[in-house]
Amino acid sequence: MSRPIQILWRVFFILTGLGFLIIALANWGVFGEMPSLDELENPSASLSSEVLASDGTLMGKYYLQDRSNIEFKDLAQNSIHALVATEDERFYEHSGIDGIAVARAIVNLGNEGGGSTLTQQLAKNLFTNYSGFAPLRVLQKIKEWIIAVKLERNFTKDEIIALYFNTVPFGDNVYGIRNAARTFFQKEPALLTVNESAVLVGMLKGNTIYNPRRDPRRSQQRRNVVLDQMVKNKYLTKEEAAVIKVQPIPLNYKKLEENDGIAPYFREVLRDELKKWCKENKKANDKPYNIYRDGLKIYTTLNPKMQLYAEAAVDRHLKEMQRYYHSLSYIKDGSIWKGREAVIEQAIKSSDRWRNMKAEGYEEDAIRASFKEKTPMKVFAWNDAKEKDTVMTPLDSIKYHKTIIQTGFMVMDPFTGEVKAWVGGIHHKRFKFDHVNLQTKRQVGSTFKPILYAYAVENGYTPETPLPGGPIRLGDKIIDGSGGPMAYCLAYSKNPGAVHLINQFGVKSVINFAKEAGIQSEIPPFPSIALGSADLSLFEMMHSYTMFPTNGISSQPIYITKIEDRNGNVIYTNLPKQKVVMSEAAAYTMCKMMQGVVDFGTGRRLRGMGLTMKMAGKTGTTNSNTDTWFMGYTPQLMGGAWVGCDDPFLKMTGEGSRMALPIWGYFFSKAYSDNTLGLQTDADFIQPASMKVESIMDYENFAEKYKNEPDAENEDAGSGNADDFLLNEDAELIPDDPNTQAPTKEQETENKIINEAINDKKSKSTKQQ
């Protein structure tokens, strides 16, 4: 053998040995960590977590990469054929590496396509990161070959195709064919046509340049290339392909963004709850769960129909209220902002405009000047788009958006605690602040009175117990107004009666009872809480009211039923959390008394709206109509509404019965008209079997007697100013009237007689029970 040939053989064996050595070193992880056998058998891609309604409806997702998995059986054959024909013609013939394709790629320097098989592409998607640096890319390619062979050993061809479809990107931060089918065509992958499958597979060559949303012409050209490949590989006939080629792309694009989908305010509150849960719970590998990567399925209690009805009720009512509010003179002429310079200054410095111009190096004077220059912009509007184009100064835009009326509305099942609807505001895209959750607190006004009255009933008071009228002292304030039987005082929200009760029982005992009922926030230990001076959340007010229709059982609101991992294993379950907080007899008595609110008292507007079912509730309004409330329930369902502006000095145009109650009414009217929800208009509150007949309120006669009383709704406003409340022992409950005198000796004697009658009534009631 000649010397040149010997040298040639030596070079061949050296290069071959070097090649094997490089492959061995790569397999051992010398050039970068290789996936373990466990990781190969359980490949992990970043999966979006899905939030599901009570009926399984997809409400929204949490993700960094929007990806959802699918099994092979749920793929359309059209998609499989298009993929194999276009990306890997010999997929069913090789074991991970296609020697013919590799040789072709080397000879043609990649000009006629690369040599990567579907399995190699899957290996790259799952376990390696692309590098443009040639030497590193060669090492990555070797690693991909090794991983591809291992994948072929661990998975069937069908499983590899499913894994591939689950990991590939389709542009617009959409990953996996399930999300691609939903986003581009609004259908599940199994229903994709040949046309649609060819479009999606065509995007894999370049998901930006061949995106049908961005460039329909190029996408159509690429689709036709895929159809030609399907003809070449005998998945289609030429005639079938020709028919499809002249068809347009049936694009039906809609991407589910964070502001889209059902209950966006609820999903943001849920996101924070889930983040906390993930930190406290770990996977089998001892790492905490991640809502953006681990593909969790979160099953919630929200009812999609009820949620839509709740949102519609808010829209219907506040649209009209906003039109009237913006017509008020002090809003139109801007006088409402007099003396509120600090509020505007804070809003200016919190704006994106201020932050961005600061970051760009503008002087403060220039930034302030820009807020006074008229600029084309979009602002919130009560139309279908929830916005309109206009020209105004950024400063006027701040003032305009601050005068937009906000709301919080929540619906739940008082027996299970399951939250059925959650409307945290009027439009999540524009106004992110949620007004339902536990952290958002406003003065509750007279909606606190039922808690006080419930404590009184629990301690022997009855609906007929007389409560004195004013003047009556509350700390250093004098409260005026009429008195009467307790049921009458609650129905018409008489302030002196509530003051009398807090004076009788003491602040501490009432606070303790409120805590038992479900109030979690700190309640200031002042008598003014009787008229609702405490700042509480709608969420906890709903919790506290559950004791009434359930015969004394408090049900904590819950909105998650279970959580599953990406493999469908249940990793968390949530059961109702309940406890008895008052007697059945007292709860039923409160139901009957609170029926008076809606049948003839401050909430009688509901009957005027055509609602005929049994219902009970309480209106609430704070001083100057800053906060307006309505809390109400039927024998099956409960709802609570708050209406106001985010800045407390912006007063509403009416009391709770006008501003908040109609939302409740519109929702319950719609919900009870929907037979699929299982709500019964003839359902009644359950009378305890143990309740003595003589202690049951003669409601019909009582209602007939007092239904024509003059409206006492103005007395519903009485919680005082929050700032004054924090500074003084007692809130400024009602404006001091210089003509109002302290109780005379005669009035004090009369009140003493009434108190003796009350004590006698309490004693008799206690003996009866």
Side-chain angles (χ1 to χ4, degrees), residues 422-474:
W422 181 303
V423 184
I426 57 173
H427 187 49
H428 189 259
K429 182 178 180 180
R430 178 74 62 174
F431 305 101
K432 302 292 186 185
F433 191 69
D434 179 87
H435 299 87
V436 172
N437 74 91
L438 186 62
Q439 306 307 318
T440 303
K441 301 168 186 179
R442 299 291 291 247
Q443 282 193 323
V444 293
S446 293
T447 55
F448 189 83
K449 287 178 183 175
I451 298 174
L452 172 61
Y453 275 65
Y455 186 73
V457 173
E458 187 74 348
N459 284 276
Y461 278 54
T462 72
E464 294 85 6
T465 300
L467 298 182
I472 186 169
R473 187 174 293 280
L474 182 62

Side-chain angles (χ1 to χ4, degrees), residues 34-45 69 122 126-127 147-156 159-160 163 566-567:
M34 293 287 283
S36 65
L37 180 61
D38 181 64
E39 288 174 319
L40 285 171
E41 291 176 345
N42 300 280
S44 174
N69 276 352
L122 174 61
L126 287 174
F127 301 112
I147 295 170
V149 172
K150 291 182 177 181
L151 287 172
E152 290 276 352
R153 291 176 179 173
N154 284 276
F155 295 96
T156 66
E159 289 171 334
I160 288 172
L163 279 170
R566 66 171 63 204
N567 298 314

Side-chain angles (χ1 to χ4, degrees), residues 677-696:
L677 296 178
L679 300 173
Q680 301 169 341
T681 55
D682 59 350
D684 201 351
F685 298 108
I686 300 174
Q687 177 185 320
S690 61
M691 197 170 180
K692 300 290 185 181
V693 175
E694 59 268 25
S695 66
I696 298 175

